[in-house]
Amino acid sequence: MAKKAASTTFEYVEPIGDRVLVRKDEPKRETRGGIALPDAAEIPTITGRIVTISAVVENDEELPLRQYDKILFHPKNMIPVDLEHDNQLFVIPVEDVVAVFRKNKPE
C-alpha cells in the first residue's frame, strides 16, 4: 500500500536577498470623474503595500522600506506568488521600488 503524499499548505513567504513581498493594489476600473472603463482599458496599477521584507532589507539602514509601506514600483521583474487565491502577492527586487508614500516628510 502506497503512502499518500502529505499536503503542505504554506502560510508565510520570506523574500531572500534585496527583495520585498508586495500585495499589489487592485487595478482601477473607473476614472476619477466616475467613468467606468472596460476591462481592456484598465489603467495599469504599479502600487502596492509591502507585506514582508527580507532580512537584508530590514538590516540595511540605506533602504527606507518597512513592512506595510505603500510603494510605487516598476512591474517588469515582479514574480507572482500563488499563496492565497484572492490576493495579488508579488516578490519584487528593491531596485524596482521607485517611491515610498509617506504622510509626513521625514526630518
Side-chain angles (χ1 to χ4, degrees), residues 39-54:
D39 288 342
E42 286 180 3
I43 299 168
T45 303
I46 54 173
T47 60
R49 186 128 346 233
I50 295 177
V51 176
T52 307
I53 59 176
S54 70

Side-chain angles (χ1 to χ4, degrees), residues 22-59:
V22 174
R23 178 171 288 122
K24 189 175 153 199
D25 291 339
E26 289 292 323
K28 296 183 187 220
R29 301 200 185 279
E30 65 179 46
T31 65
R32 281 187 161 184
I35 299 171
L37 299 171
D39 288 342
E42 286 180 3
I43 299 168
T45 303
I46 54 173
T47 60
R49 186 128 346 233
I50 295 177
V51 176
T52 307
I53 59 176
S54 70
V56 172
V57 174
E58 185 174 23
N59 295 322

Side-chain angles (χ1 to χ4, degrees), residues 12-83:
Y12 181 76
V13 176
E14 181 178 353
I16 304 296
D18 290 338
R19 294 179 181 85
V20 294
L21 180 68
V22 174
R23 178 171 288 122
K24 189 175 153 199
D25 291 339
E26 289 292 323
K28 296 183 187 220
R29 301 200 185 279
E30 65 179 46
T31 65
R32 281 187 161 184
I35 299 171
L37 299 171
D39 288 342
E42 286 180 3
I43 299 168
T45 303
I46 54 173
T47 60
R49 186 128 346 233
I50 295 177
V51 176
T52 307
I53 59 176
S54 70
V56 172
V57 174
E58 185 174 23
N59 295 322
D60 189 341
E61 295 178 12
E62 298 290 318
L63 294 171
L65 302 175
R66 299 292 170 249
Q67 189 175 19
Y68 308 120
D69 279 348
K70 183 171 178 109
I71 60 169
L72 174 69
F73 61 92
H74 190 284
K76 178 183 171 190
N77 296 317
M78 66 183 190
I79 301 167
V81 177
D82 190 19
L83 183 64

